Structure formats: C-alpha cells, structure tokens
Amino acid sequence: MNRRGILGLTAVAVLVAAGCARRDVAPRSGASGCPIRLDDATASSGVVFLHADGSGGQRYIVESMASGAATLDYDGDGLFDLYLLSGVPLEGTPPVDPAPRSRLFRNLGGFRFTDVTDAAGIGDPGYGLGVAAGDIDDDGHPDLVISTFGPKVVYHNNGDGTFRDDTARSGIDDGSRVGGGVSLLDADADGDLDVYFANYVDFTCATHVPEFSDGFPVYTSPKAYDPLPHALFRNDGDGRFTDVSIAAGIAATPGPGMGTITGDVDDDGDTDVFVMNDGFGNFCWLNDGHGRFTEGALAAGLKFNGDGAPVASMGVDAADVDGDGRIDFFETTYQGERPVLFRNLGGGEFEDVTRLTGVGEGTTANVKWGCGFADFDNDAHPDILYVEGHIQDNVAQFDRTTSYEGRAVVLRNRGDGRFARLPATCGSGLSVPVVGRGTVLDDLDGDGLVDAVIISSRRSAVVLRNASPADNGHVAVLLRGTTGNRDAVGARVTVTAAGRSHVAEVVCGRGYQGHFGTRLSFGIGAADGVERIVVQWPGGRTTAIDDPPHGCTLVIRESGQWFVAPPVRRAE
C-alpha cells in the first residue's frame, strides 16, 4: 500500500544554474585516439577491499559464484556509495585475521571513498552472493536486501548514516541455502516494492560433490545438484513481507538462478522478471498485472541462444541499444559460449543478434560475468562493459586456451548496428588483470561520465574512472514516485535530443547479482540541448518536460514537480 498519498502539485521547474552547463573538460588521461578511456583509479580512490570466496581447497560450488556489488546513495548527499559483497571462510577453511566481510564505502566526492562499514553497522558476517538496494519501507532512504549462502538479509536504512538488521522482523526467509540475484519490483501494483530472489542449487558443504578434469580437481557444474525454486515476497506495507512464491506461480519451476533484471518485456504496462539460469535455459516471468506470473521465456525467444541451445547464463542488463524505443537484453556466458544480445522486436518477441552486431566476436575463450550498458562516451549509443574471470583457479594446468585471470572488456556501440571491442590500450583500467565477478556502473564523481567498480575474486576490488573526452553532452534523470513506489521502479523515461529518442527503464537489481543505475544517464552526443523528456510512471501517469536543461541531474516527481539537483559535494 502507498502511504504518502498524492501531493497534487502542478508542474514546477526549479532551475539551479550550477552544474547545468555542458562540461567542456579536457580528458584526464589515457591513450590518444580512444573515444572511450577507463583509467585504473583504485589506489587513489580509497576503496581498499579484498574479496574472499571462503576457499580452503575443497572447491565448494558456491566459491565460484561469489560475489555481487551495489551502488546506492545511502546518506542522501547526491553521491553514489559502494556496497561490496564478500564471502567468508567455509567448512574446512581456517579462519583468517582480519575476518573477511562485506563493506560499505562512503563517497566523499572528488572520486574519493572511505570505509564506513563499522559506523554504519552494516558489516554482515555472512557469505554474500547477491544484493539490491531500494526503499522497501517507503521512508525516503534506500535499504539493502542481500542473498547469501545461508539466510537472506535485510538492512533497514535508519536515515542517520546507520542501518539495522531487519531480517527477522521482515519475515523474508524461504529456507533456501544458496541465493543468486535479487530484484525489487512492484509485482502487484499496490505502490510498494516486493522482492524476487533467484536461488541457485540445493547445496550444503555436507553434500559437496568432488569433480576432476584430466585428473585435476575442479569446481563442479550446477548439474551435480538439484536446482532450487525461486522466491517472491510480497511487501505488506509495514516492514513485513509474505512469501507468495507458490500463489504467484514462481515456485513451480526451479532453476539454478544467477543474474536478474526486471522490465516490461511484453509491453502490457506491468513489470516482468528476466532471470539467468546457469546452463538450464532462462526464465522470463510474465506478470498479469496483479502479481501472478507465467514463465514465457521460450515463446519470447529469451530462453536459449539463437542456436536453440541453453547457455551458462550469468549476468544480464537492459537498454535500448538501437534507438527503436524498445528495451533489449545482454547476457554473459561461460567459456566456449558467446554472450547473447537479444533485440526486442516488440510484442514480447526477441531475437539473438549476437553475430549480426559483432557482440560475440573474440569472446569465447573466457568466462564472462558482471556486465552492464552505459553510454561511456555520451554519444547517444549505449555501450557494453563486461568482466572476465575463470572459475577454475588451476585451469592453466589442463587448458591452455583460456586463463584464470581476465580483463574488463568494453564493446563500443558504433551507432550503425555494430559493436567494436576497445583495445586494452584505451585507458590503464582495461589492462588490469581481474578474476571478474560483480560489476557496477554509475557516475561516481558527478562529471557526467559513467565509471565502473569490479569485484575480483580473491583479489582487491578494481575502480575504473571514466577519462573519455568530454566532447558530448548528457543529462541524468532521477525519479521519485509519489503514488507508486518511491524509487519509480518500472517507470520508463524517453529523452529526445536532436530529433532522436533515447529510452531507459528504472530497475532495482541488475548485472551479475548486483545493483546500479537507478539514476538514469543519457548521452545526447553533439546535440545543443534536450528537446523533451517524457516519463511513463507505473500506473499510467505521464510527465512531460519541454526544453529542460542538460549537463546535470533532473529530479522528477510523479506529481509533476521537477528540479535540478544541486552540484555534488567535493572532497577536501
């Protein structure tokens, strides 16, 4: 239930001049001739985070899955903070000092961060796998919902820089032991955010299945275990949730779930759920508008790749890659498999255009994980970033065609229906070795360019600062629901500049078991300005703004009021 009521305000524009001009800033660094450059800013960022997968030589299957990450503005200062998940020592693994744990890094501005885990009370000691951030209790502050190897976790944001563990009170517990991605959505259109959990396989350390390849011990396939049913929890509006997985139709079909994302797949005005299943065939849960779902991935063309084969689906993101006003999907896959780009044909139908667009060229040697769409050079064409990293730490002993470590890969959208892989010389960040897992993409310093942070398994997190030339304009949009959910999950935004429209939807939960991008960022290329912004809110209301400013962030309320967000605070 919505607890705010309708504000009833007419459209009012409150313009703040600072931060609303196009930024003609000289490139910070990087190789010449690169339209996109990402620099390694880990050392100077203050993000000191060593990921742990809990391994001690047993090669439990959950070790290879860990972990995701999230961006969120937990303290409301206009800057995106980082929550990075970690595993902990598993059975048979000696404890280490200091003990690994998930950590919260506060954004100080100026691309500087500080660890506030202890001060915020958010150092979950569990084995973190997936996370989403959103205002689940409608109090104006983003909360965290986490899936683990173990029980789910809910952190309530107190609004004073601290969190409290609300897991027991929330009632979120489906008994599953191995979680996956988390998505927040208003499944039943009652105005608040419900929670979808992708679960993986029925594994415990006691049921571990050892496996070998050419005599070498390896991490086993998920096919060694029974897949788990996924879960949907209905938000009851008082901080508590009810498990409606069976009534909603979600529990009927198990699958080894990993990444998740929501969106209006079939264009019927409600929010559906697209789920990556590891080697099993994807789920596409189609919503009837009242919170009951039917699995329709096969009919939609989303279950398998274009060859009709299931792939080891891992991460997923969504964007309108070709400017036709429809949301397309990208998924990452295992070694020997191409990633898949699904083009939206309209009417709930999709086709695999991986080969046609060049997205799959040179991708099969490595395992691919965290991913996301972002217009890194603001040329009005969404690009793709994904990270590589094998699950087998000893793969060099029996397979010389691949490697344990990989890189961050950027596929630049050329705007002609094709993508081109950037060379590793385009910024120091693209040559950093990683064992990639979760990845988040957001503008971390408020300069209008989208940056990235990578979880690297058993290694330090990697922070990439976007150092692309500032030749193109942009506008960012942050929505605030007033009659629907406050985060406006399910809303669709269309930005028109130079006669071309750019479309994006608000989602909570995306990539590889992570969360980012709730503030929508639009590149507008060389356009002199933005002609129009149209917001289609959940429930059908529409807000239109003509000739808005650009080069800044517009905060748009469902009531019709909008204003320019003040410039972000800079570190001293």
Side-chain angles (χ1 to χ4, degrees):
M1 296 289 292
N2 174 59
R3 294 169 297 284
R4 289 180 303 273
I6 300 175
L7 295 182
L9 299 176
T10 58
V12 177
V14 183
L15 301 183
V16 179
C20 273
R22 235 170 86 176
R23 297 170 182 263
D24 296 319
V25 182
R28 285 186 284 263
S29 62
S32 62
C34 290
I36 297 171
R37 293 196 293 274
L38 297 178
D39 281 346
D40 180 9
T42 308
S44 60
S45 71
V47 176
V48 180
F49 177 81
L50 181 62
H51 175 267
D53 64 2
S55 55
Q58 294 81 9
R59 288 187 166 81
Y60 298 129
I61 190 172
V62 293
E63 298 169 15
S64 62
M65 296 172 57
S67 303
T71 58
L72 71 158
D73 182 6
Y74 87 98
D75 53 0
D77 65 355
L79 295 163
F80 283 115
D81 312 296
L82 302 173
Y83 189 61
L84 308 182
L85 296 183
S86 179
V88 296
L90 297 172
E91 185 177 309
T93 302
V96 295
D97 187 22
R101 57 177 175 163
S102 302
R103 292 188 177 274
L104 177 66
F105 291 88
R106 183 172 182 246
N107 192 335
L108 302 176
F111 223 83
R112 290 282 301 169
F113 296 80
T114 187
D115 189 336
V116 294
T117 308
D118 290 332
I122 202 169
D124 178 56
Y127 195 103
L129 292 173
V131 59
D135 188 359
I136 59 175
D137 52 5
D138 210 24
D139 64 353
H141 310 293
D143 311 295
L144 284 165
V145 182
I146 303 165
S147 67
T148 71
F149 175 38
K152 272 67 174 178
V153 178
V154 177
Y155 276 122
H156 168 79
N157 189 332
N158 295 319
D160 60 359
T162 68
F163 292 78
R164 71 169 183 261
D165 188 335
D166 242 16
T167 307
R169 181 174 180 271
S170 74
I172 291 182
D173 181 7
D174 65 347
S176 297
R177 296 293 300 172
V178 185
V182 184
S183 280
L184 310 182
L185 70 155
D186 186 0
D188 50 5
D190 68 348
D192 48 27
L193 291 176
D194 312 298
V195 187
Y196 182 98
F197 289 102
N199 292 315
Y200 195 59
V201 295
D202 189 11
F203 164 84
T204 66
C205 292
T207 61
H208 170 59
V209 177
E211 188 170 323
F212 296 85
S213 176
D214 294 332
F216 295 97
V218 295
Y219 287 97
T220 188
S221 159
K223 295 178 181 178
Y225 307 94
D226 292 331
L228 290 172
H230 298 190
L232 179 68
F233 284 84
R234 184 190 67 217
N235 192 331
D236 294 331
D238 58 356
R240 295 178 174 86
F241 292 77
T242 298
D243 189 342
V244 294
S245 309
I246 295 175
I250 296 295
T253 309
M258 292 190 128
T260 63
I261 196 166
T262 62
D264 188 357
V265 172
D266 50 3
D267 297 319
D268 64 351
D270 52 38
T271 304
D272 311 301
V273 187
F274 187 33
V275 186
M276 303 295 96
N277 284 316
D278 191 358
F280 191 86
N282 300 325
F283 290 157
C284 182
W285 295 110
L286 299 176
N287 193 343
D288 69 354
H290 304 286
R292 284 195 55 83
F293 293 83
T294 302
E295 206 291 288
L298 183 61
L302 293 169
K303 195 170 192 67
F304 307 123
N305 65 14
D307 297 326
V311 294
S313 308
M314 295 182 180
V316 61
D317 201 14
D320 178 10
V321 299
D322 49 8
D324 65 355
R326 295 189 287 263
I327 301 297
D328 312 294
F329 293 108
F330 175 80
E331 68 171 310
T332 52
T333 55
Y334 198 71
Q335 177 191 2
E337 301 170 337
R338 295 178 178 86
V340 184
L341 179 60
F342 291 106
R343 181 172 182 262
N344 191 334
L345 303 177
E349 296 184 2
F350 294 76
E351 66 174 345
D352 180 347
V353 293
T354 304
R355 290 184 174 90
L356 183 66
T357 58
V359 163
E361 293 178 5
T363 61
T364 58
N366 297 92
V367 184
K368 300 157 286 289
W369 296 85
C371 65
F373 285 105
D375 189 354
F376 289 108
D377 53 358
N378 284 335
D379 67 349
H381 304 293
D383 312 298
I384 298 170
L385 181 145
Y386 69 82
V387 294
E388 304 169 330
H390 216 283
I391 68 170
Q392 310 297 352
D393 53 359
N394 58 348
V395 69
Q397 296 179 288
F398 56 86
D399 186 352
R400 295 185 180 181
T401 68
T402 188
S403 61
Y404 181 51
E405 293 182 330
R407 301 287 190 274
V409 174
V410 174
L411 303 175
R412 183 172 183 257
N413 188 337
R414 303 190 323 191
D416 60 358
R418 301 278 297 178
F419 287 78
R421 180 167 176 159
L422 287 185
T425 54
C426 284
S428 58
L430 297 185
S431 60
V432 177
V434 297
V435 183
R437 293 299 186 264
T439 302
V440 293
L441 307 177
D442 259 316
D443 180 1
L444 299 178
D445 54 356
D447 66 352
L449 297 171
V450 175
D451 312 293
V453 180
I454 301 166
I455 295 284
S456 186
S457 180
R458 303 183 188 175
R459 285 159 170 74
S460 296
V462 176
V463 182
L464 304 182
R465 191 175 192 181
N466 192 337
S468 302
D471 298 332
N472 296 315
H474 80 284
V475 66
V477 175
L478 180 64
L479 300 184
R480 286 290 174 251
T482 54
T483 63
N485 69 88
R486 179 180 179 273
D487 293 310
V489 176
R492 178 172 292 195
V493 177
T494 303
V495 172
T496 301
R500 185 177 185 273
S501 294
H502 319 271
V503 175
E505 289 188 9
V506 180
V507 303
C508 279
R510 68 198 316 162
Y512 179 70
Q513 301 183 172
H515 172 91
F516 56 91
T518 48
R519 182 177 65 196
L520 305 179
S521 183
F522 296 87
I524 61 172
D528 292 331
V530 174
E531 296 156 20
R532 199 170 209 232
I533 296 177
V534 177
V535 182
Q536 295 173 280
W537 301 90
R541 180 177 294 188
T542 298
T543 299
I545 304 171
D546 292 319
D547 299 318
H550 67 290
C552 52
T553 297
L554 304 186
V555 181
I556 306 174
R557 301 187 186 279
E558 190 177 359
S559 61
Q561 183 187 37
W562 63 274
F563 60 93
V564 175
V568 296
R569 178 176 51 81
R570 297 293 180 184
E572 296 180 358

